[in-house]
């Protein structure tokens, strides 16, 4: 997974994602907000990782970090590592 959109989709879309993050009121709106921004606040990452593991989906902190890096910075880091 390379983007916030892919992470949200893998976990069931904006509504399911909002529920995973713990939003009792308007989980769809909150999940949609993060999808639109392309950013998930770090405070929700442990819940996301736990939910992904429970579903057998490979999402961990490293994947979340990469999803938040600007594409050009990610490409540069991958080139340096090679």
């Amino acid at each position: 997974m390379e983007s916030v959109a892919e992470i949200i989709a893998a976990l069931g879309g904006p509504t399911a994602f909002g529920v995973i993050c713990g939003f009792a009121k308007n989980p769809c709106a909150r999940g949609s907000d993060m999808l639109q921004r392309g950013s998930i606040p770090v405070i929700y990452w442990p819940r996301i990782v736990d939910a992904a593991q429970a579903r057998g989906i490979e999402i961990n902190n490293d994947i979340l970090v990469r999803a938040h890096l600007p594409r050009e910075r990610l490409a540069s880091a991958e080139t340096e590592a090679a």
Side-chain angles (χ1 to χ4, degrees):
M1 265 167 255
E2 296 184 15
S3 70
V4 169
E6 290 175 342
I7 291 167
I8 292 173
L11 290 170
T15 301
F17 186 79
V19 171
I20 287 167
C21 290
F23 301 115
K25 292 186 178 184
N26 300 318
C28 182
R30 300 297 296 270
S32 293
D33 288 345
M34 290 185 225
L35 177 62
Q36 188 174 21
R37 278 194 321 265
S39 178
I40 304 165
V42 174
I43 195 167
Y44 303 114
W45 290 15
R47 289 176 177 248
I48 294 163
V49 171
D50 289 346
Q53 287 177 349
R55 292 166 172 78
I57 301 169
E58 188 175 343
I59 298 174
N60 56 38
N61 288 329
D62 289 339
I63 288 171
L64 287 162
V65 168
R66 281 197 306 273
H68 286 82
L69 287 176
R71 295 290 146 227
E72 59 277 358
R73 185 169 179 195
L74 181 58
S76 173
E78 288 173 349
T79 302
E80 290 174 10

